[in-house]
Each structure stands twice: as structure tokens, then as C-alpha cells.
Amino acid sequence: MIRSLIHCAAPQRATIFLNPLRRVHSAPPLPRQPVPDLRKTLTHYLRSLQPLVSEEELESTRELVEYFLRPGGQGEELQRQLHKRAEKTDNWLTDWRQECIYLENHLPLPVHSSPAVILPQQEYNDWRGQLRFASKLICGVLDFKAKIESPGGLQELWRGQRLCPDQYYKFFGSYREPGIKRDRILFQPRNKPHHVTVCKNYQFFELDVYNSDGSPLTEDQIHQQMLFLRAHSKKTDKEPVGVLTTDHRNSWGRAYSALIRDRLNRESVRSIQRSLFTVCLDATALKYSEDLYSSRTAAQMLHGGGSHANSGNRWFDKTLQFVVGEDGTCGLICDQATADASAMLTMLHHVFNYCSEGPSLQPPRTPLTRVPPPRKLYFNFPPESKQHIEQAKRNLDILVNDLDICCFSFPDFGKKFPQRYKMRPGAFLQVCLQLAYYRLHGSLCATSEAVSLRAFHHGRSDIVRCSSPEVLEFVQAADDPKKSVLQGQSVDGAILALKMLCISSGMALPALFMDTSFAVSSHWKLFTGQVSAPMDCVMCYGPLVPDGYSVCFAPSQDSITVCVSAFDCCQETDAERLSDSLQGALRDVHSLVLECRPGDE
């Protein structure tokens, strides 16, 4: 019974289990993303509303749905237009989702948009080990880049199915340029960028990583460059210019326009824009107890710790930011406007394996032309730019102090347990999370989980709605001794497309998308995700709404690492309390499965 409930109550997902990249020659084209059936989409939508709204509100929405679907009505016309768009574009959803979710979002990139991946702490604890590890990390990233650009390319497989590699070619040299109304993505020619940006003590350097013959620098060559860079960046710059990239996007857009009016500033920013990626050499963060270490490290990776810590040692507009701390912490911050977390993790897995190998045995090269030393990027700060920096620092510190993160490792069991009973681990974890939230708040809430669509041509990602009548019935019955547990396609991408078609064609938005039920069901109080990777890592990000949570699971075979975040400004949410409730729910559902085992077999 419990097995059937978990299969039915939780959504179908496409969690990526990262496999080694494989060379595929003359691969057939990937299938195009199908346009979902409109009636089925809205049927799923109505089901997702049942645990969230009153019966009167649900009945009102049913009437709006039927009116929208009437023959010859607006729904029929919009569906026809969507099919027409699907025939003419590589992917009917990807561009619109990028535009609406990312480029037109004015919230700051740290916490609100760019997730961070925390890798295991490295064994060094001083600047010497930091520079050596950073040098090897750069070599690992260049090795990944060389492999994806090799003849025939490399493909990622999931359950024997190829995934779209398009995002891999957009990692390097891409940049999210801020705008007052909307951002835009800048791409460099694939073979043009030859340098990376390195940040240390709020200073930015251009570091060439290729010899004059096009071959990548060796680890020792890059290490020598790093030593030179450190010697020329011992003093911290007074103006942490990188903190500008942490501000609200429209505020940063205005500051950006003012900053690049100066020719020196414009040249420095252009160098960062054209770089392959960014490496942030962080100073040692404040010491914390062992119990708080993982939570504080997650916060450091996510936002840098504030204007007086490492936040000025970032440039959040770059798609890839690798963070290497002097205390052995390391990780990645990625801008999802260009690429999704699942693709980032594939790349990170390759880089981490590369860094785990022994010392490089590559023979030293004698380049045709001597590699120039790292070039410091200088900035001028007129009074207007100084005011922008001070405002960005104030806004950042408010955000940093408001974010509450709780990371923990649950040692009782891992994904092997639900698999033993033929249950999908992701579905099992989602039901446990719903029970934990219900116990804490007395109701269910709108819950979304990120899923990958990379099995389709130019597919990116979407979200699925995790609330359902079966989940509500389960969480109500789980704590009621008088009851026994009974048995029990993403709609939002389609709804987004219908709304965009209305806007582009000048049509009025349907009443269906403006009623109370739609607002309630799209206010994502729980934003969830899952990292299924063959390496020890955890991902963290901030909540989507002020009164919500984000929860990311990283299940291994025998344990589960979880990162929960919330905002302190909301008195109703508490990351630590939800974490405690989740651990209790995991144990209780575990016990329930064991009790129901005879009926499951």
C-alpha cells in the first residue's frame, strides 16, 4: 500500500544519474520536446489544486477551465499557436523559460537564482595548498572543455538514453550582462577565449591558460602564474567592485551603465566577460564548530559571507565561478540562465575526478612565445560608482543576515532502502518532506521540484507540482491512530507558454490564469531538488518566496545529505525546525514501510 501511494502521489521526475561521458559518432538527432495535451495538462493542474484551496475555490476554477477549453475558445486557439511554434523552433519552451524565469527577474543572483555546489573539504589548509589545488582545478576544467570539443564530441547517457549536450558548449566564455529592464546573455566564439579571471582580495586578474600554439598550460605553469598573482594581490582593495554583481539586477544594470562609461573600467569588465570562467581564491572564513561547519560553508559558497567577507571576491555574472578557499573549502557557483545544474554536475564530476588523481606527469613545454604574467584589471571609481558599491554592500548584508541555512547528514539509511521495496528514492523523499511540512505548519503548500528535460533537443529544465490529493490523505492519516494508510506531466511549462503566446499576440490573459487558485498554487513555499551524483557533494539555493523553504537532497546508498534554507524575515519559517521535522518524518515513513512489508510483497 505504501509503495503504491509513493508511486502515485509523487510526480514523475527526470533526476540525472551522472554517468561518464561517452564518445558517440554519427548520433541520430534527439527527439523534439512534445507539446502536452491541453486538457490533460489542465486536469493535472486541477488535481494539484485539491490539497491547496477550498472546495468553493476549486469549483470556481473548474468552471474557468471548462470555459477556457470550450470548442472554438481561447484555449483551442492558443494550443494551435503553440503547435505552430513547436514546428518552427528548436524547443518551444527553452527560450521563453530562460527569458521569464531568469533574464526578466530583478532579484539578486546570489541566494535567489544561482545555486552553489559544495564539494568535500580538501586536505590542505594554507595558501600553498590553495594555489596548487586551484591550478589543478583549472587544468581539470580545460580537460573537460577539450573533451566536449573533440571530434565527434562526447555525450552523456541517462538510463541508456542520450541527453542534449548543447549546454556544455555554452559554459565557457558566457556572461549574463545586467540591464535595467532585463538581462541578456553574451557568448564568445568557441575558440576565442584564452584566459580565465582569477579573484583574490577583491582584485581581478586576467590569467592566460593556453600557450601560443593553442595547447593548454600545464599544472606547473599555471601554478607559477598563481604564485605571481598572489605576490601582486597581498593587500585587499578598498573598493570591492565585485559586490556590485550581488545587487538587484535593475540596480546593478544602472550601476553597470555608469561604471563602463569609463574606458579603463570598460576594458576590465570586457576582460571578465570574455574569460572562460572565474576562479575565486577566498580568504579563510570565520571558524565555526563542527556541527555548524557544513551549514556555514554552504552559506559561504552561496553568497560569500557578506561585504566584509568574501562576497567582494565574486563576479556573479559569469556562468561558472569556482571557489577555492584557503582553508580547504571548494565548490562551484553557477548562473542557471545559461546552463542547468544537472549539466554543471556532469562537468564538476569530471573535474573532481581529475583533481583526485596524483601529481601531473606532463612534461614541461617550451612554448613558442613566453606566457605573459597575469594582468591585473584596474577600475576607476567616480563618486557615483562608490555610491553604487555602498548601496550594494548594504543590500547584500541584509540578504546575508536574512538567510537561514541548515545542512545535515541523515545516517539512518540512504536511497538503497526505498529501492529495496521498488520505490523511487526521489518520490520517497518528497513524500517524507510533505509529511514534515504538514506536521510543522498544519497544511500542505504549493511545492515544485526541478526536473531535467535534456532528453529532448535543446531541452533545459522545468518544474513539476508535487502536491496531490494522495499526499494530503497520507499526511493526514500518518499521525491519526484511527486511520490506516490507503493506496493512492509538468503543467507549468505549458501554462507559461500559453501566457507568452497571449502576450506576444496581444491577447488578453485568460481568467483562468488570474484567479485566486492560480496565485495560491504558484506561490512555491517549497522548492525542492535532488542531486544524484557519484561524488560526495551537496547543492544549496535560496527559497523562491519570502515565506518559503528550499530543500535539496543528495542521497547516497546509505545516507542522505540535506540542505534546507529559509528567510529569517518570515516568522513562520525556520530551517532548523523543518530539518528536525524532516528527520522525524524520514524515520517514521521508514518504520511504516517496514510494518507494511507483508502487504507489499
Side-chain angles (χ1 to χ4, degrees):
M1 292 184 292
I2 183 67
R3 181 199 305 163
S4 300
L5 171 66
I6 291 178
H7 273 284
C8 295
Q12 295 290 329
R13 56 179 49 74
T15 303
I16 300 302
F17 293 85
L18 304 177
N19 294 315
L21 296 176
R22 302 179 183 180
R23 191 178 304 279
V24 178
H25 296 284
S26 303
L30 289 169
R32 289 178 174 269
Q33 185 172 330
V35 175
D37 178 81
L38 184 56
R39 181 167 289 278
K40 288 183 179 179
T41 295
L42 295 181
T43 298
H44 290 318
Y45 170 62
L46 289 172
R47 280 180 54 78
S48 74
L49 296 181
Q50 291 183 40
L52 306 178
V53 301
S54 68
E55 186 58 40
E56 293 77 11
E57 290 170 323
L58 184 60
E59 184 57 34
S60 175
T61 303
R62 284 197 185 101
E63 294 175 1
L64 292 175
V65 166
E66 289 304 316
Y67 181 77
F68 182 69
L69 291 173
R70 74 192 188 281
Q74 192 175 14
E76 189 174 283
E77 171 60 20
L78 289 174
Q79 187 74 349
R80 185 191 66 79
Q81 292 184 26
L82 184 55
H83 277 284
K84 188 175 180 180
R85 171 179 168 84
E87 293 172 359
K88 293 182 177 180
T89 59
D90 288 328
N91 188 291
W92 58 267
L93 176 62
T94 293
D95 291 344
W96 275 344
R97 182 167 171 77
Q98 180 191 57
E99 180 180 337
C100 294
I101 303 301
Y102 299 111
L103 301 184
E104 293 183 351
N105 190 337
H106 294 314
L107 291 174
L109 296 189
V111 176
H112 293 288
S113 181
S114 298
V117 181
I118 300 95
L119 291 170
Q121 186 172 20
Q122 301 302 301
E123 295 180 356
Y124 66 84
N125 58 6
D126 59 13
W127 66 265
R128 295 176 180 82
Q130 177 190 34
L131 298 188
R132 177 59 71 180
F133 180 79
S135 302
K136 189 151 194 170
L137 181 145
I138 291 174
C139 287
V141 179
L142 297 180
D143 185 69
F144 177 83
K145 181 175 183 291
K147 282 183 167 53
I148 64 172
E149 295 177 352
S150 61
L154 294 170
Q155 299 285 354
E156 183 183 3
L157 300 178
W158 173 64
R159 298 181 180 176
Q161 186 176 15
R162 291 190 305 117
L163 300 180
C164 182
D166 181 62
Q167 295 179 49
Y168 295 133
Y169 305 112
K170 297 178 180 179
F171 281 176
F172 304 106
S174 54
Y175 185 89
R176 180 167 172 175
E177 185 179 48
I180 297 174
K181 293 185 177 180
R182 67 190 301 273
D183 293 354
R184 66 170 182 162
I185 303 297
L186 304 179
F187 294 106
Q188 303 299 323
R190 188 174 298 180
N191 296 322
K192 189 172 182 179
H194 290 89
H195 69 276
V196 302
T197 300
V198 180
C199 321
K200 183 171 175 57
N201 288 335
Y202 303 165
Q203 299 171 63
F204 295 82
F205 292 83
E206 178 181 299
L207 189 154
D208 285 339
V209 291
Y210 289 96
N211 290 302
S212 56
D213 61 357
S215 61
L217 298 190
T218 65
E219 182 183 330
D220 286 338
Q221 284 178 303
I222 295 177
H223 184 243
Q224 289 301 313
Q225 299 285 72
M226 287 288 192
L227 291 172
F228 178 93
L229 184 150
R230 180 181 182 276
H232 290 78
S233 61
K234 290 186 176 180
K235 291 185 178 180
T236 301
D237 270 13
K238 293 181 180 179
E239 300 292 349
V241 62
V243 81
L244 287 170
T245 68
T246 70
D247 208 354
H248 290 75
R249 299 306 291 174
N250 51 347
S251 299
W252 170 215
R254 287 188 288 269
Y256 174 82
S257 298
L259 185 71
I260 63 173
R261 281 200 294 263
D262 180 274
R263 184 176 62 84
L264 180 65
N265 295 345
R266 187 165 57 251
E267 291 176 352
S268 294
V269 171
R270 294 291 182 261
S271 174
I272 297 173
Q273 290 175 342
R274 292 192 297 265
S275 65
L276 291 166
F277 52 89
T278 298
V279 177
C280 309
L281 300 176
D282 275 8
T284 299
L286 295 174
K287 298 293 185 182
Y288 295 98
S289 65
E290 188 173 341
D291 292 343
L292 293 176
Y293 175 80
S294 59
S295 299
R296 294 304 94 199
T297 300
Q300 275 286 323
M301 289 293 167
L302 198 57
H303 51 57
S307 62
H308 297 290
N310 289 308
S311 297
N313 220 45
R314 305 277 189 274
W315 200 275
F316 280 94
D317 295 349
K318 285 301 291 182
T319 300
L320 299 177
Q321 288 192 100
F322 295 93
V323 179
V324 181
E326 197 170 304
D327 56 356
T329 57
C330 63
L332 170 69
I333 308 163
C334 52
D335 174 33
Q336 293 194 101
T338 304
D340 297 318
S342 64
M344 298 284 188
L345 287 167
T346 299
M347 180 268 299
L348 200 56
H349 178 222
H350 177 93
V351 174
F352 187 66
N353 283 345
Y354 186 98
C355 292
S356 300
E357 297 172 355
S360 174
L361 300 178
Q362 291 176 288
R365 296 190 187 95
T366 303
L368 298 176
T369 305
R370 183 175 176 273
V371 179
R375 180 174 71 90
K376 183 175 179 179
L377 306 178
Y378 290 94
F379 291 88
N380 290 324
F381 298 105
E384 184 180 12
S385 292
K386 288 186 178 181
Q387 291 175 3
H388 288 147
I389 290 175
E390 290 304 312
Q391 182 63 45
K393 287 164 67 175
R394 287 192 292 270
N395 291 340
L396 171 68
D397 289 339
I398 291 171
L399 178 62
V400 167
N401 292 329
D402 192 26
L403 185 68
D404 180 22
I405 294 185
C406 181
C407 292
F408 65 91
S409 180
F410 182 77
D412 294 28
F413 59 87
K415 61 184 178 182
K416 192 162 57 176
F417 172 74
Q419 288 172 340
R420 185 186 311 154
Y421 296 96
K422 296 180 172 56
M423 293 182 287
R424 291 177 287 117
F428 177 89
L429 293 174
Q430 185 63 241
V431 169
C432 293
L433 177 60
Q434 296 294 320
L435 175 59
Y437 185 93
Y438 182 85
R439 285 174 169 175
L440 197 60
H441 295 284
S443 64
L444 293 184
C445 68
T447 304
S448 64
E449 178 163 351
V451 296
S452 175
L453 298 176
R454 288 175 57 213
F456 301 110
H457 180 58
H458 285 193
R460 287 281 308 270
S461 66
D462 199 0
I463 56 174
V464 292
R465 294 170 175 243
C466 301
S467 54
S468 70
E470 291 85 0
V471 169
L472 179 61
E473 184 177 7
F474 170 72
V475 298
Q476 289 175 334
D479 290 335
D480 189 342
K482 298 179 181 178
K483 295 183 179 180
S484 59
V485 177
L486 303 176
Q487 290 188 9
Q489 213 174 70
S490 167
V491 304
D492 288 273
I495 289 176
L496 171 63
L498 297 178
K499 292 173 68 175
M500 292 299 292
L501 285 169
C502 287
I503 294 170
S504 62
S505 61
M507 298 171 62
L509 281 178
L512 174 64
F513 301 149
M514 294 186 289
D515 79 322
T516 302
S517 296
F518 184 77
V520 170
S521 68
S522 301
H523 187 75
W524 306 116
K525 288 189 176 183
L526 267 179
F527 178 50
T528 68
Q530 184 183 159
V531 176
S532 293
M535 57 184 177
D536 185 10
C537 69
V538 64
M539 183 178 290
C540 61
Y541 34 76
L544 293 184
V545 294
D547 57 342
Y549 298 93
S550 75
V551 182
C552 187
F553 296 100
S556 63
Q557 290 297 320
D558 299 304
S559 64
I560 306 167
T561 302
V562 186
C563 188
V564 180
S565 70
F567 290 118
D568 282 336
C569 65
C570 179
Q571 296 182 353
E572 298 175 2
T573 58
D574 187 308
E576 186 172 357
R577 288 182 63 208
L578 182 61
S579 299
D580 292 342
S581 182
L582 177 56
Q583 293 181 68
L586 285 166
R587 293 187 177 98
D588 290 346
V589 176
H590 174 271
S591 299
L592 183 60
V593 170
L594 295 179
E595 291 175 11
C596 295
R597 179 177 178 177
D600 285 339
E601 295 181 336

